[in-house]
Amino acid sequence: MDLSLFFFASNSADARANYTLLLDAVKFADANGFAAVWTPERHFHTFGGAYPNPAVTSAALATVTSNISIRAGSVVAPLHDPLRIAEEWSVVDNLSNGRSGVAFASGWHTDDFVFQPERYEDRRKTTISTIESVRALWRGDSVSRIGGDGMPTSVSLAPRPVQHELPMWLTSAGSSETFRAAGNMGMGLLTHLLGQTTTALAERIAEYRSTFSAARTDDRASHVAVMAHTFLDRDGDRARALAREPFADYLTESFDLVSRLQAVDASAAMSANDVGLLVDRAVDRYMTTSGVFGSPREAMRMIDILRGIGVDELACLIDFGLPHETVMRGLEYLASLGRLIR
């Protein structure tokens, strides 16, 4: 199973520090056998707001790396013209010499849709059509549009990408429908353990694989990546102790977004103590069953579980508030783990 890095920093007020960690960690990953780096699309919120455009961050990462795959995790498809998505990622593909990849998402946060408010209700349908358009453009097809003079014109992608096919994933928060859609479209699947047990995830991955096999004769594009917050240290108890407070702060900052994602009634007045209790319980869950916190030996237990249910890649979320030096030290242990499981 592959290991990759995933970034979703909570403190966008200190964006320069976030980007310094991004660059340093990705250079380390590039030199130490990690498979990929994923950067998200997140708008208008301190939680993840340092990453409004994964094409921009990926272009920067392409110029300081040589081996690692450079991926979006994820492009919110309904917010963009597929022509622009294909153009931007073709640039990244050229800058990286064919190492680009894109996970697509339909989006769920209403504030993001200030760019395209009319697309919110049909966002899932729009995502599918956008993916199909990007695929066609990437392969060299032309599309007809109306120019500034009001006349029809035909346009195609420039620059041409290095890869003939753009590696693609569909992002799912746990919907079986989305897992099946990824299989039907012959795409990879990017998901996480927020609100999903490994038992439920195993069932959905089986659905994905079955649908993929029924729709395709070539299953090489079949790929499941799972995001999980991760921090390792030689001593597992020390790893959890170091991570607990910053991770609790991280979850607290994300509370209103996570409430919307999980359909919790965040409009009801909750005291700081109530929020604190919920966050404390969530930290316990992440530390034991929904994240990878501890020693490399302890992390192998989660690796074995994920590998056993058909996961191909663990995408390690590392930028949840630990000091820069602590994160970099933890990457040494993560790299050791990676050498064991490859």
Side-chain angles (χ1 to χ4, degrees):
M1 191 166 74
D2 287 331
L3 292 184
S4 60
L5 299 184
F6 202 108
F7 290 83
F8 210 109
S10 62
N11 184 13
S12 60
D14 194 5
R16 285 177 295 178
N18 294 332
Y19 302 145
T20 298
L21 176 60
L22 171 69
L23 291 168
D24 288 350
V26 170
K27 289 175 186 176
F28 177 91
D30 190 59
N32 285 276
F34 286 69
V37 54
W38 307 77
T39 53
E41 178 177 353
R42 169 80 266 138
H43 299 286
F44 314 125
H45 198 282
T46 56
F47 187 71
Y51 294 102
N53 188 333
V56 173
T57 49
S58 293
L61 296 176
T63 65
V64 297
T65 57
S66 301
N67 307 302
I68 200 167
S69 294
I70 312 292
R71 301 175 186 161
S74 306
V75 169
V76 182
L79 304 185
H80 308 286
D81 189 314
L83 275 169
R84 195 57 186 266
I85 295 172
E87 271 191 335
E88 290 181 347
W89 283 94
S90 183
V91 171
V92 175
D93 205 49
N94 278 274
L95 287 171
S96 65
N97 194 28
R99 292 182 285 127
S100 68
V102 175
F104 287 92
S106 59
W108 55 274
H109 193 267
T110 54
D111 288 356
D112 290 355
F113 281 80
V114 296
F115 295 113
Q116 301 283 357
E118 71 282 358
R119 294 184 181 177
Y120 184 76
E121 292 302 323
D122 289 329
R123 61 193 182 278
R124 291 177 180 84
K125 182 178 178 181
T126 302
T127 297
I128 301 303
S129 64
T130 296
I131 290 168
E132 292 170 346
S133 296
V134 171
R135 271 181 165 163
L137 287 161
W138 197 272
R139 292 170 180 168
D141 290 0
S142 298
V143 296
S144 296
R145 295 290 181 91
I146 302 299
D149 58 2
M151 300 298 294
T153 186
S154 180
V155 294
S156 58
L157 186 57
R160 293 294 307 140
V162 175
Q163 299 177 97
H164 177 66
E165 297 281 351
L166 175 65
M168 292 183 176
W169 289 258
L170 193 60
T171 304
S172 175
S175 164
S176 293
E177 180 183 357
T178 309
F179 276 64
R180 290 192 298 270
N184 275 320
M185 297 184 72
M187 303 173 65
L189 196 288
L190 176 65
T191 189
H192 52 64
L193 293 174
L194 175 62
Q196 288 189 99
T197 65
T198 53
T199 301
L201 180 58
E203 295 172 356
R204 290 163 185 155
I205 290 175
E207 284 188 84
Y208 163 71
R209 301 282 190 202
S210 176
T211 307
F212 196 109
S213 296
R216 308 279 157 174
T217 55
D218 184 353
D219 65 356
R220 284 177 295 177
S222 173
H223 184 273
V224 177
V226 171
M227 299 172 270
H229 295 88
T230 303
F231 177 66
L232 302 184
D233 191 89
R234 179 177 300 173
D235 180 273
D237 289 337
R238 183 171 64 181
R240 287 181 286 272
L242 287 170
R244 187 172 189 90
E245 184 176 347
F247 191 59
D249 291 342
Y250 177 85
L251 292 182
T252 301
E253 189 169 357
S254 73
F255 182 74
D256 68 312
L257 289 178
V258 174
S259 297
R260 296 190 200 191
L261 182 62
Q262 295 188 310
V264 175
D265 184 7
S267 63
M270 294 186 69
S271 69
N273 186 60
D274 290 335
V275 173
L277 289 172
L278 284 175
V279 167
D280 198 50
R281 287 164 52 193
V283 171
D284 289 339
R285 184 177 70 251
Y286 276 104
M287 293 280 177
T288 55
T289 62
S290 299
V292 184
F293 293 91
S295 67
R297 182 184 296 272
E298 291 169 327
M300 278 300 301
R301 298 171 193 165
M302 178 61 82
I303 294 292
D304 288 341
I305 291 170
L306 294 176
R307 187 159 44 189
I309 64 174
V311 174
D312 302 294
E313 177 179 323
L314 175 64
C316 302
L317 285 146
I318 62 169
D319 59 338
F320 52 83
L322 283 163
H324 183 285
E325 298 78 10
T326 305
V327 175
M328 296 303 296
R329 187 172 67 247
L331 288 180
E332 297 280 356
Y333 296 104
L334 194 55
S336 297
L337 176 66
R339 289 188 287 270
L340 288 175
I341 65 175
R342 282 199 295 273

